[in-house]
Amino acid sequence: MTLKNPQLVRRDDSLPNQNSKARLNAKADRVNTQMLLKMVLNNMTQGVLMFDADTRLVFCNQRYLDMYRLSSNLAKPGCALRDLLDQRMEAGTFSGDPEEYIATLLERVAGGKTSYDTCKLADGRVFSIVNKPMAGGGWIATHEDITERQRAEERIAHLAGHDALTDLPNRTLLRTQLEYELKRVKRGECLAVLCLDLDYFKGVNDTLGHPVGDELLKVVADRLRGCVRELDTIARLGGDEFAIIMTALRQPSDAAALAKRVRDSIAQPYLIDGHQIVVDISIGISIAPIDAIEPDQLLKNADMALYGAKADGRGTFRFFEAEMDARMQARRTLEMDLRKALHHEEFELYYQPLVNLQTNEISVYEALLRWHHPTRGLISPAEFIPVAEETGLIIPLGEWVFRKACQQTVNWPDHVKVAVNLSPAQLKNRNVVRMVKSALEDSGMAGNRLQLEITESVLMQNTFATLATLHELRKLGIQIAMDDFGTGYSSLSYLRSFPFDKIKIDRSFIDDLSNGAEPLAIVNAVAGLAKCLNMVSTAEGVETQQQLEQLLSVGCTEMQGYLFSRARPACEIEELFLPQLGKASDMKDAQRQEGAAASGVA
Ligand code: C2E
Ligand code: MG
Ligand code: MG
């Protein structure tokens, strides 16, 4: 008899036991899986629910209940969708018609396609909802809170269409809005586009710093908001440029009234960071459909009108006129020609004598720029200097003038002085003192033979740097004259801010001398002031003997004008007024050669 392997016996014995254990294990596994699943579902960031084909709830996770503020006692398996919606309505998390909602949902489920929706709750939260149909009926719904994401997206979209400093719409949004508003113009309405530009804003930035400039722009934006109706759009186009779309315009004068309102508001003084600031605004207006019906053309026309307002002395508004377009084209052509002119040596300096009224001798020659345009002939500096200033070409052009004046007049007798005009942009340029020094050195011209003429506008944008530059130039022996006095603010504080050597009374006052006693009284006052301040007083534009006599009667000390001589080319000046020049320049050349030989440079 063979003994059975005890282990085998035991194993055989344990067979029925093992089956039930496996079953138990399987059940435990199932329970574990269900618990795990429940745990996972309840810890999801999305609300998840399942409905059967009879629109009854099979399950929903805790997150769903929390999102819609529902009680787990009510929203439990078996609950009808309609009841669930009623509960949500009570909790304030459903608005709308439940029947309609259910009908739409069931129609989509029946269609077998997943549907995507966004719903906004009364408390402002935004949920994204996905309903995915299941095979055999019913569907799984996923609800996700996308409030923060949507806010972030909205913020980004807002930033893309708005200016960060003033929170006004930017150029892109303005254009979109204009396109939209112009649809109504096609249906018979009118609208106006106003382009606005602050006057002298750059001066605020330069003198008081950018933080004050920024603060000023914010207050300007607020004041603009206060000037328009809700249906109008204000935008910041960049820097100190703004624009307004004025809708539902009845007549062009409505736009003029708005422009006046804006100007009155903007011109009120500002108190920022302890600084009292005054700025003004220039405004250009174009009207749809009169001037254009395309957004870009309307903006361009308003911009051209703005340019016209600036040219008319700023602090004013102008409507677009067709000729402005032609003028703008002409200006652009002039600018292009001007860029070429310096290389092509199309410039020449003329000189106009100024006469000392006490000695009756020529005291100084003013260098005046002339442009021999290849097709237009001689062009007045009054026409091209402003363009050169705007485009920055005045810097190389001004340097050319200064160097040329030094070279051409260095051989004129030592007592003959030469005046050169200096634009504000030149004076603000950091290199101006270096340029002047180098031109003096290169030509051998003595600083004390030079006078520089600057206008009041230089000091209207008064900066420490400008005054420091003027003092540096004066240290080189150069005299400084205030040109065209009376055309700017004529502020006495300008005369106090710097020890000018000369005041040149603007031609317009001399022109007016025959019109009663008042103009003479003004010239008298300026001449008296100059005398007290130890300055020369020069009358500009003297054309008649009568004017000269009036000027002598009020004690003017110098005159310039056609009565004595027009501006002439250097060679004519030499021939007419400096006949002794040949000898003097020979002597000077000999002296220079001696000096060079002594220093071993010859
Ligand atoms: P400004 O400096 O006041 O120069 C005097 C202007 O008055 C000159 O005009 C001169 O020809 C003119 N003028 C002189 N006497 C009379 C007169 O009796 N009657 C009349 N009707 N006019 C007279 P111009 O040469 O046309 O220059 C105009 C302005 O252009 C100058 O005024 C000056 O501001 C500017 N300018 C000229 N050359 C330069 C330059 O090289 N640089 C700069 N920055 N500006 C210049
Ligand atoms: Mg001048
Ligand atoms: Mg002048």
Side-chain angles (χ1 to χ4, degrees):
M1 182 178 166
T2 3
L3 262 176
K4 282 184 185 167
N5 183 332
Q7 274 188 339
L8 277 179
V9 172
R10 227 175 285 141
R11 204 184 290 162
D12 287 346
D13 290 350
S14 68
L15 261 179
N17 266 348
Q18 268 192 339
N19 277 341
S20 62
K21 219 175 183 179
R23 272 200 299 276
L24 274 173
N25 278 346
K27 195 173 170 190
D29 280 352
R30 265 203 309 280
V31 171
N32 270 345
T33 312
Q34 270 173 10
M35 274 174 58
L36 264 172
L37 193 65
K38 202 170 170 188
M39 220 162 82
V40 169
L41 283 171
N42 283 335
N43 282 291
M44 280 176 76
T45 52
Q46 291 142 320
V48 180
L49 8 81
M50 182 193 270
F51 289 91
D52 63 17
D54 298 326
T55 70
R56 288 190 177 275
L57 192 62
V58 179
F59 74 77
C60 83
N61 68 354
Q62 187 59 39
R63 175 72 182 132
Y64 177 82
L65 300 177
D66 294 344
M67 283 168 80
Y68 290 97
R69 300 195 195 103
L70 299 175
S71 147
S72 54
N73 293 335
L74 299 169
K76 54 188 181 192
C79 171
L81 172 59
R82 171 68 214 237
D83 293 338
L84 195 71
L85 292 181
D86 285 344
Q87 285 177 44
R88 272 180 51 185
M89 216 140 35
E90 255 175 60
T93 53
F94 182 84
S95 57
D97 180 352
E99 287 306 327
E100 201 180 307
Y101 179 86
I102 293 170
T104 314
L105 180 57
L106 292 183
E107 195 183 309
R108 287 181 183 170
V109 170
K113 283 210 172 131
T114 306
S115 62
Y116 302 86
D117 291 292
T118 308
C119 93
K120 185 160 188 174
L121 269 55
D123 60 11
R125 286 178 301 155
V126 183
F127 294 164
S128 140
I129 303 167
V130 181
N131 288 302
K132 192 175 168 63
M134 293 187 298
W139 71 96
I140 292 184
T142 321
H143 294 236
E144 188 180 0
D145 186 340
I146 56 162
T147 317
E148 276 315 310
R149 197 202 309 161
Q150 205 179 51
R151 270 189 205 144
E153 281 169 8
E154 277 168 9
R155 256 199 307 275
I156 291 167
H158 183 86
L159 284 178
H162 288 77
D163 159 50
L165 182 70
T166 59
D167 204 34
L168 287 175
N170 60 16
R171 190 184 285 274
T172 316
L173 189 57
L174 174 89
R175 205 189 163 287
T176 313
Q177 187 66 20
L178 185 56
E179 227 166 275
Y180 172 78
E181 299 291 357
L182 281 169
K183 286 192 184 124
R184 283 217 290 271
V185 169
K186 289 190 179 128
R187 277 182 251 132
E189 280 191 18
C190 286
L191 69 74
V193 173
L194 288 80
C195 277
L196 313 105
D197 193 304
L198 289 185
D199 300 326
Y200 310 118
F201 174 70
K202 200 173 170 302
V204 175
N205 257 350
D206 288 351
T207 49
L208 302 175
H210 286 259
V212 174
D214 283 356
E215 215 39 55
L216 175 66
L217 288 172
K218 281 200 230 171
V219 184
V220 165
D222 284 342
R223 290 196 188 174
L224 289 178
R225 283 186 183 103
C227 292
V228 301
R229 303 159 303 168
E230 254 191 37
L231 34 145
D232 301 331
T233 305
I234 315 171
R236 179 170 173 227
L237 305 182
D240 57 353
E241 281 177 60
F242 297 85
I244 299 175
I245 306 173
M246 187 185 193
T247 52
L249 199 76
R250 285 162 306 166
Q251 61 254 333
S253 59
D254 289 353
L258 172 62
K260 278 189 205 125
R261 226 167 33 243
V262 163
R263 205 202 144 206
D264 286 348
S265 167
I266 298 300
Q268 297 297 318
Y270 301 75
L271 189 67
I272 293 171
D273 212 7
H275 303 281
Q276 168 130 358
I277 301 171
V278 179
V279 289
D280 211 325
I281 198 156
S282 299
I283 303 170
I285 308 170
S286 71
I287 295 194
I290 302 170
D291 300 325
I293 48 160
E294 295 306 322
D296 291 332
Q297 192 60 45
L298 261 178
L299 282 165
K300 195 175 147 219
N301 290 354
D303 207 43
M304 262 188 267
L306 168 63
Y307 188 80
K310 291 239 170 218
D312 280 355
R314 301 162 193 253
T316 182
F317 69 89
R318 284 285 166 274
F319 280 96
F320 169 75
E321 292 160 18
E323 309 85 75
M324 285 177 174
D325 203 4
R327 249 182 280 156
M328 203 71 172
Q329 295 290 351
R331 192 198 161 281
R332 232 169 269 140
T333 312
L334 190 79
E335 185 185 324
M336 277 180 336
D337 291 349
L338 201 54
R339 287 184 191 280
K340 286 183 254 160
L342 207 54
H343 297 291
H344 296 175
E345 298 187 10
E346 290 165 13
F347 293 109
E348 187 185 357
L349 286 185
Y350 277 31
Y351 295 86
Q352 186 179 28
L354 279 70
V355 180
N356 179 325
L357 292 175
Q358 283 143 359
T359 62
N360 275 332
E361 280 175 359
I362 296 173
S363 42
V364 52
Y365 292 89
E366 179 174 5
L368 293 162
L369 190 55
R370 297 290 177 262
W371 178 11
H372 299 281
H373 190 276
T375 54
R376 292 181 54 193
L378 207 63
I379 301 184
S380 156
E383 187 179 345
F384 68 82
I385 292 282
V387 179
E389 280 173 349
E390 266 175 52
T391 52
L393 283 169
I394 193 69
I395 302 295
L397 185 56
E399 177 164 355
W400 181 89
V401 169
F402 195 81
R403 286 184 179 278
K404 191 78 180 171
C406 290
Q407 284 161 13
Q408 274 186 326
T409 62
V410 65
N411 284 333
W412 292 4
D414 282 341
H415 67 275
V416 175
K417 292 194 190 306
V418 178
V420 178
N421 291 282
L422 218 61
S423 283
Q426 278 177 277
L427 210 58
K428 269 195 256 162
N429 189 286
R430 286 164 189 269
N431 290 327
V432 67
V433 177
R434 215 174 310 151
M435 182 279 280
V436 166
K437 275 186 187 163
S438 133
L440 292 180
E441 271 168 29
D442 292 352
S443 62
M445 182 81 165
N448 62 10
R449 285 192 48 211
L450 276 169
Q451 293 180 354
L452 289 179
E453 296 192 2
I454 63 161
T455 51
E456 280 173 89
S457 59
V458 169
L459 298 171
M460 268 151 82
Q461 303 145 24
N462 185 359
T463 62
F464 269 143
T466 308
L467 289 174
T469 303
L470 286 176
H471 281 289
E472 290 242 351
L473 292 168
R474 217 154 178 263
K475 272 194 225 146
L476 301 172
I478 298 175
Q479 294 187 328
I480 312 288
M482 163 81 82
D483 202 357
D484 304 341
F485 188 73
T487 49
Y489 277 107
S490 311
S491 164
L492 295 183
S493 71
Y494 297 149
L495 292 179
R496 234 183 41 182
S497 65
F498 186 78
F500 286 94
D501 298 286
K502 179 187 288 193
I503 306 179
K504 296 184 77 178
I505 306 164
D506 191 66
R507 200 170 74 213
S508 52
F509 294 98
I510 315 303
D511 258 358
D512 257 11
L513 282 180
S514 53
N515 298 334
E518 208 175 277
L520 189 63
I522 296 174
V523 177
N524 186 13
V526 180
L529 188 72
K531 191 173 175 202
C532 291
L533 296 173
N534 219 6
M535 300 173 184
V536 174
S537 54
T538 311
E540 296 186 290
V542 183
E543 295 184 352
T544 66
Q545 189 61 35
Q546 192 198 353
Q547 285 169 343
L548 177 61
E549 272 152 27
Q550 285 173 299
L551 292 166
L552 284 169
S553 76
V554 295
C556 244
T557 56
E558 198 174 63
M559 68 144 284
Q560 172 179 12
Y562 297 168
L563 179 66
F564 184 74
S565 169
R566 288 175 179 262
R568 299 163 186 274
C571 57
E572 271 185 42
I573 294 283
E574 290 172 2
E575 241 174 72
L576 275 169
F577 304 116
L578 305 166
Q580 77 281 36
L581 190 61
K583 272 186 260 155
S585 73
D586 286 351
M587 266 175 64
K588 275 198 177 180
D589 282 345
Q591 275 169 2
R592 251 199 306 277
Q593 271 164 19
E594 264 173 37
S599 62
V601 187

